[in-house]
Amino acid sequence: MKEPRMHISDTRQIGRRKVDTKYVIVNLFAYLKPWLPLFLLVFTANIVAGVLSLVGPKISGQAIDLIHTDGSTDMGQIYYYCALLAGVYVLSGVINYLSTIGIAYVARLMVRKMRNDTFEKLISLPVSYFDSRQAGDIISVLSYDIDTVGESLANDVVLVLNSVVMIVGSLVMMLTIAPLLVLVFVVTIPVSILITRYLAKKVHPLFRKRSAKLGELNGFVEEMIAGQKTTKAYDCEQVVIDAFEKKNDEAIEAYANSEYLSTVTGPTSNFMNNIALTLISVFGALMYMYSFGGVTVGQISSFVLYSRKFSGPINEIANVFGEFQSALAAAERVFRVLEELPEKPDSEDAVEPQDVQGNVEISHLAFSYVEGKEIIHDFSLSAKKGNIIAVVGRTGAGKTTIINLLMRFYDPDSGTISIDGRDIMTLTRSGLRGCFTMVLQDTWLFAGTVYENIAYGKEGATREEVERVCRAAKIHSFITKLPQGYDTYLSDSAVNISKGQKQLLTIARAMLMDSPMLILDEATSNVDTRTEHIIQQAMTTLMQGRTCFVIAHRLSTIRNADKILVMEQGDVVEQGTHAELMSRRGAYYKLYRSQFESY
């Protein structure tokens, strides 16, 4: 059965569950597949380099056996072996260097594809995915986790490949020299393996928790930096510092716990390797002294060198064991994102909306974000072309949820939404969303020029078109006074212009879209009264001839709406014009009086 998805920063579950190693390896090989020929070439080069380096101890031993105490040493032969030894090691080093470059190149290509795929996946995911996760946690997967996988592939994989060649090759060579001495490893290697496996069971969940804690920390930092003004305004700097220290301590503790156990693995393995070397030296000397096994001094020397080449790589693998655990945990987090389901595909018979007029019918709509907790109950609405529909109510009444359903950011549990008599479920999402233009409370502008920000929603928009809508939005004169006019660069948070100017830019962007329907979500809630009046004039121009859905807390901005819906806890408790609702002295009347009774 497929494992249920969990929040990627749910450290309590992460700490209990092991990394699914098989799942990670299968997915990594799938990513390596396009470059498998190059990877195999690098692997072959590593084998060749390893084999060449394994010839070295053999040559060294033969040179040692040429030395005789009676003065009959053939120095010419010794020089020959020395030159041969140098040539072998140089050639091995060159091949190993080239293979290292090759694997780094493969790692770079794989990381590039993995990051592109992850970003494309994030773009395709439904709004609900981002509603339930911290942005910093998601960014951590896209940057830190993918980088960790790439570094492990570029560095650790080469080391492991070389180590495997060394271990196997050294064992073969030792068996050809003195099989009895190999029995020493029958004791030391199993002990090392048992210790490593024991530590592996302890380290796996710790590295998962480490990655998750880093994601939490990133999310917290991003949130605090974005809300720095609020923090200072409420004199909460110390509260934020204390909260950061707590999360930082948790991250450090997670790092310390994982690194502690992972670093214990290397020294423990090294200790066992030193014991093996000691036993080989003692038993090798005894075999030579008592002429047992017919070994020479040169062969014992070669055997000792091979034992180092045999046990050394085991120690190196143990040393990078922790890094492997970190890479596996990071890779799993990436692949869990990649396996997330995108927005439900359009139905096979879905069509692009054509010649949309803007007549909207909502019938008996019901919706819940969490199963069993219904937010919208039996909601119905009729909006004709050009109507202005205002939705008001207290926070949490379900106003923004209606917009989410209109745009199909979420799909209803029951009921229908129709545009010009056609159920929106039969329309393509891209086509449906193209029928709407949104102006939100959060005036989101991107890093780029003023022109690029206004032309964002319309590909190929000309400068004349942009200037036309800016004049209509009453912001053209302001833009022309900027240092570079329409080519003035705005930072991603656009701190170099005011909130009202940002809002007017988003209105100009909405005008350029020229969609038949418009959504205004608290579009004037963050500006002063004078700026609100300017924005209202711009919005009046924007709303002409369009079916408009307006969510507003300031009830003064919706007096001229064709229909006002008053929502309470997911239900429409009143609807009508401003005059009608005021005359009833019901929920709307109370809301209106609560805003203006102080005047």
Side-chain angles (χ1 to χ4, degrees):
M1 186 175 69
K2 188 175 181 180
E3 184 179 3
R5 292 189 182 88
M6 65 178 183
H7 194 299
I8 55 179
S9 62
D10 191 343
T11 56
R12 290 174 297 178
Q13 292 189 40
I14 285 172
R16 295 175 189 153
R17 188 167 66 80
K18 296 179 182 178
V19 174
D20 191 341
T21 305
K22 182 180 178 181
Y23 164 81
V24 172
I25 291 175
V26 168
N27 279 281
L28 282 174
F29 267 106
Y31 263 92
L32 274 174
K33 191 175 180 180
W35 306 285
L36 195 57
L38 179 57
F39 183 79
L40 292 175
L41 179 64
V42 170
F43 180 74
T44 303
N46 267 276
I47 294 176
V48 173
V51 170
L52 285 172
S53 66
L54 286 169
V55 176
K58 189 76 171 178
I59 296 173
S60 176
Q62 290 173 342
I64 290 173
D65 283 336
L66 288 174
I67 300 174
H68 302 293
T69 56
D70 58 3
S72 59
T73 301
D74 187 347
M75 293 304 296
Q77 280 292 98
I78 290 178
Y79 291 146
Y80 166 75
Y81 280 124
C82 288
L84 183 61
L85 189 63
V88 165
Y89 279 131
V90 168
L91 183 59
S92 174
V94 170
I95 295 175
N96 195 45
Y97 172 74
L98 293 175
S99 66
T100 302
I101 293 177
I103 197 69
Y105 177 69
V106 171
R108 186 181 70 181
L109 292 175
M110 194 188 80
V111 165
R112 180 177 179 273
K113 178 173 172 54
M114 187 179 290
R115 185 168 281 122
N116 283 340
D117 289 351
T118 304
F119 186 77
E120 289 177 10
K121 169 61 73 171
L122 289 172
I123 294 299
S124 72
L125 291 177
V127 172
S128 58
Y129 180 86
F130 302 94
D131 285 345
S132 61
R133 288 162 175 82
Q134 284 185 310
D137 210 356
I138 298 171
I139 293 169
S140 179
V141 174
L142 191 64
S143 56
Y144 169 78
D145 288 333
I146 292 179
D147 283 341
T148 300
V149 174
E151 289 173 8
S152 181
L153 179 64
N155 301 318
D156 301 337
V157 169
V158 173
L159 187 147
V160 171
L161 288 176
N162 288 333
S163 297
V164 169
V165 173
M166 288 295 168
I167 291 169
V168 175
S170 298
L171 180 61
V172 172
M173 297 302 288
M174 286 189 295
L175 286 172
T176 62
I177 294 172
L180 287 176
L181 284 179
V182 178
L183 293 176
V184 170
F185 295 108
V186 174
V187 177
T188 58
I189 295 301
V191 174
S192 295
I193 291 173
L194 288 174
I195 293 173
T196 302
R197 289 190 64 183
Y198 171 77
L199 292 174
K201 292 179 181 179
K202 300 290 185 181
V203 170
H204 271 300
L206 294 178
F207 273 101
R208 283 184 55 83
K209 186 174 181 178
R210 188 180 84 166
S211 293
K213 284 296 181 182
L214 179 65
E216 284 187 6
L217 186 64
N218 287 344
F220 179 81
V221 170
E222 183 188 32
E223 183 180 316
M224 291 304 102
I225 290 175
Q228 188 181 33
K229 288 183 180 178
T230 302
T231 299
K232 290 184 179 297
Y234 284 90
D235 193 26
C236 289
E237 288 94 333
Q238 191 58 49
V239 175
V240 170
I241 290 171
D242 292 341
F244 175 82
E245 287 181 354
K246 181 181 178 181
K247 289 187 177 294
N248 194 27
D249 287 342
E250 290 175 354
I252 289 172
E253 183 181 0
Y255 264 76
N257 291 339
S258 60
E259 291 296 332
Y260 170 75
L261 280 179
S262 64
T263 52
V264 166
T265 306
T268 303
S269 179
N270 193 38
F271 173 72
M272 296 306 301
N273 292 337
N274 288 332
I275 290 178
L277 183 61
T278 302
L279 293 174
I280 288 169
S281 299
V282 171
F283 290 127
L286 291 173
M287 289 175 67
Y288 174 73
M289 290 173 60
Y290 293 103
S291 301
F292 182 73
V295 293
T296 65
V297 174
Q299 288 176 325
I300 293 174
S301 174
S302 296
F303 194 97
V304 169
L305 292 174
Y306 281 126
S307 71
R308 295 300 294 175
K309 286 184 174 291
F310 178 76
S311 58
I314 294 176
N315 186 44
E316 289 177 345
I317 291 175
N319 283 329
V320 301
F321 177 75
E323 295 176 19
F324 261 124
Q325 302 311 308
S326 179
L328 288 173
E332 186 180 31
R333 279 162 54 89
V334 174
F335 293 135
R336 294 299 181 192
V337 172
L338 288 170
E339 74 169 5
E340 288 286 341
L341 296 177
E343 281 189 312
K344 292 180 182 178
D346 296 324
S347 60
E348 293 183 1
D349 58 348
V351 297
E352 293 288 332
Q354 301 290 333
D355 192 25
V356 175
Q357 299 299 306
N359 299 299
V360 179
E361 292 286 339
I362 301 177
S363 178
H364 303 292
L365 203 66
F367 174 75
S368 56
Y369 289 106
V370 180
E371 188 174 353
K373 295 183 179 180
E374 202 168 71
I375 302 296
I376 303 297
H377 326 283
D378 196 28
F379 178 86
S380 295
L381 167 68
S382 178
K384 301 301 180 183
K385 175 183 177 181
N387 280 175
I388 299 175
I389 308 298
V391 186
V392 302
R394 302 184 189 279
T395 301
K399 305 183 297 296
T400 300
T401 300
I402 298 299
I403 303 306
N404 287 337
L405 295 172
L406 278 172
M407 296 288 288
R408 282 199 70 190
F409 293 145
Y410 294 86
D411 288 333
D413 298 334
S414 62
T416 59
I417 302 175
S418 300
I419 295 177
D420 294 343
R422 182 148 200 159
D423 192 333
I424 63 172
M425 302 297 286
T426 66
L427 303 175
T428 63
R429 275 193 177 84
S430 60
L432 170 68
R433 290 169 185 170
C435 295
F436 289 91
T437 298
M438 294 185 72
V439 179
L440 305 177
Q441 177 181 1
D442 296 325
T443 52
W444 189 260
L445 297 176
F446 299 92
T449 65
V450 172
Y451 165 77
E452 289 169 342
N453 268 282
I454 296 173
Y456 177 77
K458 185 176 181 180
E459 186 176 355
T462 64
R463 180 62 66 93
E464 289 74 19
E465 289 177 306
V466 169
E467 290 184 6
R468 175 178 55 80
V469 296
C470 287
R471 287 189 177 91
K474 303 183 184 305
I475 199 172
H476 175 72
S477 61
F478 157 73
I479 295 174
T480 55
K481 294 175 183 176
L482 291 173
Q484 285 82 40
Y486 282 87
D487 294 320
T488 301
Y489 185 84
L490 303 177
S491 63
D492 54 357
S493 55
V495 294
N496 43 344
I497 60 176
S498 71
K499 284 189 175 181
Q501 290 160 348
K502 290 180 189 178
Q503 192 65 279
L504 288 170
L505 285 176
T506 61
I507 290 173
R509 182 164 63 195
M511 287 180 174
L512 191 62
M513 288 290 291
D514 197 27
S515 302
M517 290 175 288
L518 175 66
I519 293 172
L520 302 173
D521 189 353
E522 307 286 0
T524 62
S525 62
N526 288 328
V527 297
D528 59 82
T529 306
R530 181 177 179 278
T531 305
E532 178 186 355
H533 179 68
I534 298 172
I535 293 175
Q536 281 290 344
Q537 289 180 321
M539 286 199 300
T540 300
T541 303
L542 174 63
M543 294 162 68
Q544 288 177 358
R546 305 188 189 198
T547 306
C548 301
F549 296 89
V550 183
I551 295 176
H553 279 154
R554 293 188 183 180
L555 303 185
S556 60
T557 63
I558 57 167
R559 290 179 180 177
N560 296 325
D562 296 294
K563 186 181 293 184
I564 300 173
L565 306 181
V566 184
M567 295 191 68
E568 289 184 1
Q569 299 182 344
D571 291 315
V572 177
V573 295
E574 283 185 335
Q575 58 179 299
T577 64
H578 171 76
E580 291 171 347
L581 294 175
M582 289 296 290
S583 65
R584 293 176 192 172
R585 294 179 173 266
Y588 179 81
Y589 176 81
K590 293 176 182 178
L591 279 174
Y592 193 86
R593 286 295 301 271
S594 68
Q595 287 191 16
F596 296 98
E597 62 185 4
S598 60
Y599 293 99

